[in-house]
Amino acid sequence: MRNFDKRNHFDKRNKKLTYLIKLAFEPGLWFVLFMPVCTILLAQKPVASSWLTAQIFNRLQLAVEGTPDKALLYGAILYAVLIFGLDIAQWLLATASALIENHWRERVNEKLQKMFMQKDYKGNVADHDNPDLVSRRNAAKNVDPVGILKSVISFISTLSASVSFLILLWGFSPVMVFVAVLIKLPTFYFYDKTMKMNRKFKIDSGTLNREKDYFYRIPVSKPNAKEYKIFSMKGYVCDKYDEVMSRYMPFYKSYFTKMAMNNSVLMHYDRIVTIAAEIVIGISVFTGKMLFGEYTLFVAAFNNLAKSVEQIVDFASQFKDLQEQSGLLREYLESRNLYEDGEGCAREVGNVPHVIELADVSFTYPGTDREVLHGLNMTLAAGKTYGLVGLNGSGKSTLVNLLLRLYEPDQGEIRLDGVNIREYNICSYYKAIACVFQNTGKYAMPIKDYVASGRQRDLPRAMAALSQVRLTDWCSGLKHGLDTMLTREFSSEDDSVEPSIGQWQKLSIARAIYKDAPIMILDEPSASLDVDSENEIFHYIRSLAIQKTAILISHRLSNVVDCDHIFVLQEGRLAEEGSHQDLIELGGVYSSLFESQAKYYKTSGAVG
Amino acid sequence: MRRKLSHNDTIPIREAVPLFFSSLKRICQINRKYVLFSFLYSICGIIPVLLNAFAVSVFNQRIIKGLGEYAHYWQAYYPLLVTFAIMVIYGIWGSVSVYFDEKYRNKITSYLLRDSSSKAAAIDLASFDDPEFFNLIQKGWSEDGAMLVDNANVTLETIMDVTGFIGYVSLLSYIDWKVTLVFIALRVCLYPVNNWIYRLGYRLNNRLAEERRREQCFRNFFSTKGNVAEGRVFDLFDYAQDNYQASHRKIYKATFLHKIKTNSVDLLAYALRSLPLAVGYIYFSICVYKGTVSLANMAMYVALYDGFINQVYNAINGLSSIRGYAERSRYAREFQTIKPGIHTEEDPLKDKVPDLSEGHTVEFRDVSFRYPGTEKNVLEKVSFVVRGNETVSIIGANGAGKTTLICLLMRLYDPTEGTILLDGKDLRDYSAESLYGMFGVLFQDYCNYAVSARESITLSTEAVREPITLSTEAAREDRLAYALKASTADKFVGMLKNGIDTPLARDFDPDGAELSVGQKQRIALARAYYKKAQVLILDEPSASIDPQAEAEIYEAVHQQRGKKGIWLITHRLSSCVQSDQILLFQDGKLIGNGTHSQLFNGNAEYKRMFLLQAQKYGVTQCGI
């Protein structure tokens, strides 16, 4: 059994924040250099304006208490003008920096989103089965790297402001510098507690939060609304919502009560420090040792330094969390895949009639311990149509997954033209395969993009594919024809259409036909199709089979009757194989299944 | 029912204010205590701020005068201590208020969410087909809950701002009322600018809403297993990434331009905002110099300036934000006032559907139907009669109107023309709730819920609200066992980790089970069987299940023959052989109606379709 934890999923490296910072550098070096410079400059603004204000007060007090001197007044006015100038300069710098930051942030975000897309796409489908990995991925996606970088930058800004205030305050009294720094250190305890409480609440209530949203969202979609009415689900849903709320509220209550207490302690402590500083410093003015302007500057410097220390403390309490968050991001983005992605392989799928062989293939889904396929041996020759039949859960879709290289067999190998499929370049391999999936994705894109799967759009070919599945009339009935958007997700009713389930199925068949690959896999392509569409589509598939290898899965055994060869799977083993005629004559599983479906058509004869 | 909704621009103030107050009223109706409590807190909010400013000013004044006038330093600083004491008391009140605020807010929100959730369920299904209306439902529904509370908060904040404004003005006017007046005037000038910026932002958001959803969609394109598989085989990565990037850049460009535009206007606003400070400094410097204003008062003015300017700004902006919230409550309001054509609430004036063991007579009389907002009739003059507990099969090509027909039968829609009679009376004369109670349905787009198998099957209210006694409990278990067996779901439910109590999704519980498509369908089928329904409707029950399960399901359906009315939509004509009546549809018209042998002999289309499928099972001679 292959297990998830057997592989070394993540490299543990320590420098987690540097990873993020490296990421931040990518849109351009000058952004990142510009940001701290701006921040440091902006951080000096309070220092400068406190100093300017103090100058005004000093001059005025001298003028009031001493002899009135016009020069003092003009000096005060000049500083007032400077304050205005400083304000405007600060605004300009702040705006410019905000715009640039915005630009940089969007670039980083875009880059990151693309990395996520890449990872989602290249990562193993198997990872979706592992709840642990899924939650890791979700956690990584919830990380806000730009937010983290911003708090790093604001930390730099606080630090630089505190240095300026420190120098300023040192001029008045070195003792007060120590007081300002030391007095705020105890707040670390409260900030740290807040952090922990936040994190704990997030963990404790995460699932409950989603659950509570889930229940009240139920009636807001059409299929749900139908069932809601017919099964009169209101009472149930409301009760369920109340029940989830009653589990959620105790967490929430204790969380916000504690938070309110914590915040109130921090707030009052801050006030005590401010008032104490005013009283202690004020005595110098009271005794006439200091000018009022100097006093305002002194108090401002003390308060600001203390505040900066508090912010630094706050940052320090968050630092671990930031590290952890960027760690999550890095771990996810750099995690290794379960299977090699085969992009480096140079071997191309040759342009020959393809032969697929399964040699002794066994498979267990990663993270589970039930073997789904047991030593399967099959050979599929070129240009033939193969039927794959079996009850639900017999391993048909798993086999398709293995053929599509979404998973790899634990034992044995799958060979294409005599070579293990793992050795082919993945892109070249996928070029050779077209597939109709059982649950086709419902994408919001124009019809032509869907059919041509976004590749260079050959419209006549797309039309031809659509006509094979009898959708021509439907398409030409639409106002925008092939340009019509599928689903009404983004568009108004005029240029979009919501296909029925049967129509989606036809569209996905058309897409496979358009791809025109030498190997074609059809997994329940006709579950929701009407009689004539089904008939025509299978007729078409049979006509294709001359040049292609086709694998057909269907519960309607009438559809596989004409296949060249039929494989009957039973609980992961090949129970029977052969042509329809052979299997009927064999009188085994296949023939009894076939009989159970044919029965009604036969008994109908007796009706007349 | 169809109204033209155009929400591309902001609404005028005269419409905004009543909207705003109506939503406030709703909150008062839900919880008066909350509103009262928060109101008191907001009104008092300004007192400590002003008191503090005043105390600091007195302190400053006294230290400047210094020893010359006061004997003890204590005389200078005791006002500070007094205010501190007051602030502590107020702070404690604040904490208590936060507690109540959170508590009530959560209560109100959850009440509203429940309310709007059931409101959404009561809306006509037809409304869901009209994208514009659907948009309204989604917006209104999501805004409704969260918004009303925000709305109340905005009101309280505005009250706080206005009282604060009055407080500041009185304190500052005490120092110099002329300058205060000038400052207010300067700030008021900014209102149109703010308004313009706000409207610009509103329009931008409206314009980008769709693009944002598109960006989101492509960004998360490969977040499901199915999409990754398809994406790889059909090479969709570049397509998705290009689309994401295009959307992202488009949004970015638009917002960037918007920022440049508003920022340049904002410079003016900013200048107007910081100019008074400089002017104030100069003006007061002169005053102090002349001796008309004390230095401490000037210090107070300067200290209060920022708070004051913000307060003026907020008080003016209160109007804007009221408007902004009215903007949002417009959706909520419209959503609240949607009048469903089909009332799901119990209506004592209307008849209840009687429980008839011999079955009901259903008659469609010239029924036509088209979906709202479309031109084409999905059903065209359809007439037929079904008597007693007949088994009816509905067949026809994709898009022929089969699913629509059963929706009409259940009165999820009302016919555009013609009438549907149940026991000789119009469907519309029955109460919708009792009508819904009559049917057990497996929809083609059936839903699965992230709850346990048991709950997923038994979730109808009728079952939840039934008093639990020993006998009902036992009866329920029997019914559940029957439903499981009839739907053949018992085959796999028993094998789940916790049996019937296993959650059917891993959303909230890691021990949940992921079912296959066929299994999910059988759970939905069990739900239809569990309900004490008089009529069973199955829309393609065997689309994705294997032949063995299919045979078992049809077996179970046929066991109900004669006991219940059965309506079956199917593409497998073998399953309608035993039906009492087959309805064959083509392009919305009923082109064949009768038993299998009647149709086989008299309807060329039916015969052709039947033989097409039968041939593949090697049945060429049907003995007709």
Side-chain angles (χ1 to χ4, degrees), chain A residues 114 230 232 279 490 515, chain B residues 73 114 210 233 245 461 531:
Chain A
K114 282 185 181 170
I230 297 294
S232 57
I279 293 175
F490 317 125
K515 192 173 176 185
Chain B
Y73 186 40
R114 275 183 53 166
E210 195 183 307
V233 174
Q245 181 165 318
T461 303
K531 209 180 150 185

Side-chain angles (χ1 to χ4, degrees), chain A residues 261-318:
Chain A
M261 301 261 279
N262 225 14
N263 289 341
S264 127
V265 168
L266 279 173
M267 192 174 72
H268 287 130
Y269 186 67
D270 187 56
R271 279 200 190 127
I272 291 175
V273 170
T274 314
I275 288 179
E278 278 169 356
I279 293 175
V280 170
I281 303 169
I283 196 156
S284 319
V285 185
F286 190 74
T287 52
K289 282 185 206 148
M290 190 188 266
L291 282 177
F292 180 65
E294 281 171 334
Y295 159 79
T296 56
L297 186 56
F298 193 171
V299 170
F302 180 85
N303 280 338
N304 279 305
L305 181 58
K307 214 164 265 164
S308 302
V309 172
E310 191 171 332
Q311 278 165 15
I312 291 167
V313 163
D314 187 14
F315 181 80
S317 75
Q318 285 176 34

Side-chain angles (χ1 to χ4, degrees), chain B residues 222-441:
Chain B
F222 298 112
S223 53
T224 65
K225 198 162 138 181
N227 282 12
V228 174
E230 288 194 25
R232 289 205 196 155
V233 174
F234 289 99
D235 190 19
L236 287 171
F237 183 73
D238 288 343
Y239 182 78
Q241 193 173 39
D242 291 350
N243 267 297
Y244 161 71
Q245 181 165 318
S247 278
H248 182 86
R249 298 246 160 111
K250 215 161 146 191
I251 293 167
Y252 173 66
K253 220 169 142 188
T255 41
F256 195 77
L257 281 177
H258 172 78
K259 276 192 178 133
I260 297 260
K261 219 182 201 176
T262 50
N263 267 320
S264 45
V265 177
D266 199 40
L267 176 60
L268 174 72
Y270 194 82
L272 277 178
R273 186 194 153 113
S274 63
L275 189 63
L277 181 66
V279 172
Y281 269 123
I282 297 171
Y283 172 78
F284 282 114
S285 299
I286 296 169
C287 291
V288 171
Y289 189 75
K290 283 184 185 155
T292 49
V293 171
S294 74
L295 196 57
N297 274 346
M298 176 180 170
M300 173 164 109
Y301 206 110
V302 172
L304 284 179
Y305 177 79
D306 260 337
F308 167 65
I309 278 302
N310 280 337
Q311 208 60 257
V312 180
Y313 177 78
N314 289 345
I316 294 170
N317 248 26
L319 208 62
S320 284
S321 44
I322 282 179
R323 188 166 165 179
Y325 279 87
E327 213 71 77
R328 293 172 60 192
S329 66
R330 170 164 61 172
Y331 290 108
R333 169 78 173 259
E334 270 173 24
F335 169 69
Q336 281 295 329
T337 51
I338 294 173
K339 286 266 179 302
I342 303 167
H343 291 279
T344 46
E345 297 303 314
E346 196 63 63
D347 188 347
L349 293 175
K350 289 202 171 172
D351 294 341
K352 285 195 174 149
V353 180
D355 200 345
L356 300 176
S357 59
E358 73 273 18
H360 299 272
T361 307
V362 175
E363 184 179 356
F364 274 58
R365 208 176 270 173
D366 285 331
V367 172
S368 296
F369 180 76
R370 61 173 170 270
Y371 283 97
T374 60
E375 319 263 294
K376 196 173 158 279
N377 273 355
V378 184
L379 289 175
E380 188 88 53
K381 298 242 180 256
V382 172
S383 302
F384 62 88
V385 185
V386 172
R387 287 187 191 82
N389 285 330
E390 282 187 340
T391 301
V392 184
S393 289
I394 307 169
I395 55 176
N398 292 124
K402 305 183 296 294
T403 303
T404 310
L405 182 87
I406 58 159
C407 286
L408 287 176
L409 172 66
M410 289 181 280
R411 213 182 159 216
L412 290 170
Y413 299 100
D414 279 333
T416 323
E417 278 166 49
T419 43
I420 303 170
L421 304 172
L422 178 70
D423 299 328
K425 229 184 323 181
D426 196 320
L427 270 192
R428 282 169 281 207
D429 293 337
Y430 291 100
S431 89
E433 190 168 320
S434 94
L435 198 62
Y436 291 158
M438 185 178 144
F439 300 103
V441 199

Side-chain angles (χ1 to χ4, degrees), chain B residues 567-581:
Chain B
W567 297 63
L568 187 67
I569 295 181
T570 183
H571 288 306
R572 302 192 193 189
L573 303 188
S574 61
S575 46
C576 41
V577 169
Q578 300 179 1
S579 302
D580 300 311
Q581 198 170 160

Side-chain angles (χ1 to χ4, degrees), chain B residues 30 90 149 163 172 212 250 259 274 348-349 373 381 383 434 455 547 585 589-590 593 605:
Chain B
I30 300 164
Y90 186 76
V149 179
T163 51
L172 290 178
R212 288 220 165 94
K250 215 161 146 191
K259 276 192 178 133
S274 63
L349 293 175
K381 298 242 180 256
S383 302
S434 94
E455 285 178 45
F585 284 89
K589 292 187 195 77
L590 185 64
N593 181 2
E605 177 66 10

Side-chain angles (χ1 to χ4, degrees), chain B residues 446-509:
Chain B
Y446 60 88
C447 305
N448 287 102
Y449 304 97
V451 297
S452 72
R454 178 195 295 278
E455 285 178 45
S456 190
I457 294 168
T458 63
L459 44 66
S460 78
T461 303
E462 162 209 12
V464 172
R465 291 288 148 89
E466 216 170 61
I468 299 173
T469 62
L470 267 178
S471 60
T472 57
E473 185 69 31
R476 255 198 250 179
E477 286 302 319
D478 284 350
R479 237 164 80 204
L480 185 58
Y482 157 74
L484 284 171
K485 195 159 163 16
S487 61
T488 70
D490 54 343
K491 293 261 160 63
F492 65 89
V493 166
M495 277 155 64
L496 298 176
K497 202 170 174 186
N498 291 318
I500 189 134
D501 291 309
T502 317
L504 297 184
R506 291 218 188 110
D507 293 29
F508 312 122
D509 194 337

Side-chain angles (χ1 to χ4, degrees), chain B residues 155-220:
Chain B
T155 321
L156 295 172
E157 267 164 34
T158 311
I159 293 169
M160 210 163 174
D161 289 335
V162 171
T163 51
F165 174 69
I166 296 167
Y168 272 112
V169 169
S170 41
L171 197 69
L172 290 178
S173 301
Y174 160 75
I175 305 168
D176 196 312
W177 64 268
K178 279 174 285 183
V179 176
T180 313
L181 216 62
V182 173
F183 285 2
I184 296 171
L186 274 175
R187 205 70 190 110
V188 170
C189 288
L190 283 181
Y191 178 71
V193 178
N194 288 335
N195 206 16
W196 180 75
I197 290 178
Y198 168 77
R199 275 178 58 180
L200 225 54
Y202 182 85
R203 283 190 203 149
L204 181 80
N205 277 338
N206 258 353
R207 219 171 54 225
L208 289 181
E210 195 183 307
E211 202 63 48
R212 288 220 165 94
R213 273 185 293 158
R214 191 193 300 271
E215 185 207 12
Q216 176 106 7
C217 165
F218 284 111
R219 173 149 52 96
N220 296 326

